[in-house]
Amino acid sequence: MNSFIYVTHFTPRMIAFVFVGLSFMSALCSGTEFPTVFVFGDSLLDPGNNDYIITLSRANHPPNGIDFPNQVPTGRFTNGRTIVDIIGNEVGFTGFLPPYLAPNTTGRVVLQGVNYASGASGILKETGALFGGRIELDEQIDYFANTKKYIISILGTQNAANLIGKAIFTVSMGSNDFLNNYLIPILSEPKRALIPPDVFVDKLISKYSLQLTRLYSMGAHKIVVVNVGPIGCIPYVKDILNLGRYGCLEIANQIVQRFNERLKDLVAELSTNLKGSLFVYADAYRIVNDIYTNYKRYGFDVPDAACCYLLGHHGGILPCGPGPVKVCADRSKYIFWDAYHPSEAANVIITRRLLDGDKNDIFPMNMRQLLRA
């Protein structure tokens, strides 16, 4: 079922930035108004920012991107498109939001939006330190402050404020604060002995509240906050923390659910207290858990193992390259691309639920409704 795949040729990643430019020019010529989008997150949404920093958390090598246009390994931690890419394509944006750190992210392309997401990053500064470089959420927001100044230099203060006020801000953080901080095997045991889960969750929510409020103070009004998925079910956790056993690691999922409950309350509180704001709570946990539990209904054959792997009962011990790895023959049948991240097939289903889902999936409105709000 599996075979070794070696990709030795790929089109330069600049093609993705060309798509962005062409899409923006097409919008100008046709009069179509695409929404400006700013993205903050971790490796689930990283479009290649980590390619430009010194870090162990990189995906700019094959077989990552094997199903991306022209089989380009752009730094996305999946076989194809991320959720943000798919949402953009679904609403009519033919390109992809550029990574903030890419040298091509300049000029009027920035007016379409920028992606600041970075693999291994978290809400807390110390999260992901084992990987070396990463752009934590505070720094991502600092980068947005730079972008805002740049937009003002192009459009002027009032027009820039109008653009940012109508823009969609998507923030997806927290997974690494558990996986690569509080739940690190062996290394984090002293921390867990001193800091109970509820105290750690309180710390995360307190910090996250400041960060989201800061975005609002910089002009962000439409903010989608994505909660943390069922990390106890990913191949890495099943092999490293659950020791290869079948079933999910419930302790990890229970901690995440505590965080998500507090996050939902925080989103409601910010919506009430921050005048003119429109916060949307996206329940990725519910969506991914449903896909995982009812995988056959969604067309998957393998719910609990990585498509790209080298070691581990679930393929969760090592990342997807660089170097020789095994890749499943049919990526569309796997929920997980690698030890941590969904396949493009799973991302497509998650995207549909975020775009058109009911209030159980995304509250108080879905992404398509938010675009019209």
Side-chain angles (χ1 to χ4, degrees), residues 50 53 55 118-121 125-129 132-136 139:
N50 278 22
I53 60 178
T55 179
S118 168
S121 64
K125 184 179 179 64
E126 65 267 23
T127 291
R134 70 271 179 222
I135 312 167
E136 74 272 7
E139 190 174 3

Side-chain angles (χ1 to χ4, degrees), residues 10-11 22 26 50 56-57 78 94 97 120 132 138 143 221 248 264 269 282 309 319 322 344 354 356:
F10 58 88
T11 305
L22 291 176
S26 173
N50 278 22
L56 296 175
S57 180
T78 186
T94 57
L97 287 180
D138 278 330
Y143 285 161
H221 289 164
C248 302
K264 188 174 185 178
E269 178 185 323
Y309 72 99
E344 182 181 279
L354 294 177
D356 300 307

Side-chain angles (χ1 to χ4, degrees), residues 14 26 32-33 48 73 90 102 141 152-153 218 248 253 303 308 319 360:
M14 280 186 63
S26 173
T32 303
E33 185 180 350
E90 285 290 318
I141 298 173
I152 290 172
S153 74
M218 297 167 72
C248 302
N253 284 345
C308 177
N360 292 311

Side-chain angles (χ1 to χ4, degrees), residues 2-325:
N2 296 301
S3 60
F4 283 99
I5 294 180
Y6 299 90
V7 182
T8 57
H9 172 75
F10 58 88
T11 305
R13 58 179 294 126
M14 280 186 63
I15 192 168
F17 306 129
V18 172
F19 285 162
V20 174
L22 291 176
S23 175
F24 183 71
M25 292 307 296
S26 173
L28 290 178
C29 295
S30 67
T32 303
E33 185 180 350
F34 293 123
T36 299
V37 179
F38 298 105
V39 176
F40 305 80
D42 52 30
S43 57
L44 293 170
L45 303 180
D46 187 348
N49 280 306
N50 278 22
D51 294 358
Y52 301 96
I53 60 178
I54 300 172
T55 179
L56 296 175
S57 180
R58 280 190 180 181
N60 61 335
H61 46 75
N64 291 297
I66 193 171
D67 297 307
F68 197 76
N70 295 285
Q71 296 186 321
V72 180
T74 60
R76 288 164 170 82
F77 291 78
T78 186
N79 59 303
R81 297 170 296 166
T82 68
I83 292 168
V84 167
D85 296 329
I86 300 166
I87 288 175
N89 294 162
E90 285 290 318
V91 300
F93 184 40
T94 57
F96 304 100
L97 287 180
Y100 173 80
L101 292 181
N104 310 69
T105 306
T106 185
R108 298 188 71 85
V109 165
V110 172
L111 303 182
Q112 188 62 61
V114 179
N115 190 327
Y116 307 90
S118 168
S121 64
I123 295 167
L124 303 178
K125 184 179 179 64
E126 65 267 23
T127 291
L130 286 174
F131 292 90
R134 70 271 179 222
I135 312 167
E136 74 272 7
L137 185 52
D138 278 330
E139 190 174 3
Q140 291 183 32
I141 298 173
D142 289 342
Y143 285 161
F144 170 68
N146 295 338
T147 299
K148 180 180 177 180
K149 291 177 184 176
Y150 187 72
I151 292 173
I152 290 172
S153 74
I154 297 174
L155 299 180
T157 302
Q158 188 56 55
N159 288 334
N162 290 339
L163 181 144
I164 291 169
K166 295 176 181 178
I168 305 293
F169 287 73
T170 299
V171 189
S172 177
M173 275 289 189
S175 296
N176 286 320
D177 293 288
F178 295 102
L179 291 172
N180 296 313
N181 187 334
Y182 193 71
L183 295 177
I184 297 175
I186 302 174
L187 296 178
S188 65
E189 287 180 7
K191 175 182 287 187
R192 292 199 300 273
L194 293 172
I195 305 174
D198 286 340
V199 174
F200 183 72
V201 167
D202 286 345
K203 179 181 179 180
L204 282 180
I205 293 296
S206 177
K207 181 66 173 177
Y208 212 1
S209 176
L210 295 174
Q211 292 163 331
L212 294 172
T213 301
R214 183 182 173 207
L215 271 179
Y216 168 81
S217 72
M218 297 167 72
H221 289 164
K222 298 180 179 181
I223 304 177
V224 180
V225 182
V226 185
N227 71 7
V228 176
I231 61 173
C233 301
I234 68 175
Y236 164 79
V237 169
K238 291 167 76 69
D239 277 345
I240 301 296
L241 299 180
N242 212 26
L243 303 179
R245 291 190 291 268
Y246 288 99
C248 302
L249 183 63
E250 287 308 317
I251 243 177
N253 284 345
Q254 287 166 9
I255 295 173
V256 163
Q257 285 176 303
R258 292 181 199 176
F259 171 80
N260 288 342
E261 289 167 4
R262 292 290 313 283
L263 181 61
K264 188 174 185 178
D265 290 341
L266 173 64
V267 168
E269 178 185 323
L270 293 176
S271 289
T272 300
N273 295 338
L274 300 180
K275 185 179 179 180
S277 68
L278 179 51
F279 281 84
V280 172
Y281 178 78
D283 197 345
Y285 188 100
R286 181 179 190 272
I287 296 169
V288 174
N289 189 60
D290 180 42
I291 296 169
Y292 185 88
T293 303
N294 303 293
Y295 65 95
K296 285 191 177 295
R297 192 176 77 197
Y298 290 99
F300 295 107
D301 291 337
V302 184
D304 58 353
C307 169
C308 177
Y309 72 99
L310 189 58
L311 294 173
H313 187 73
H314 300 280
I317 292 180
L318 292 174
C320 183
V325 289

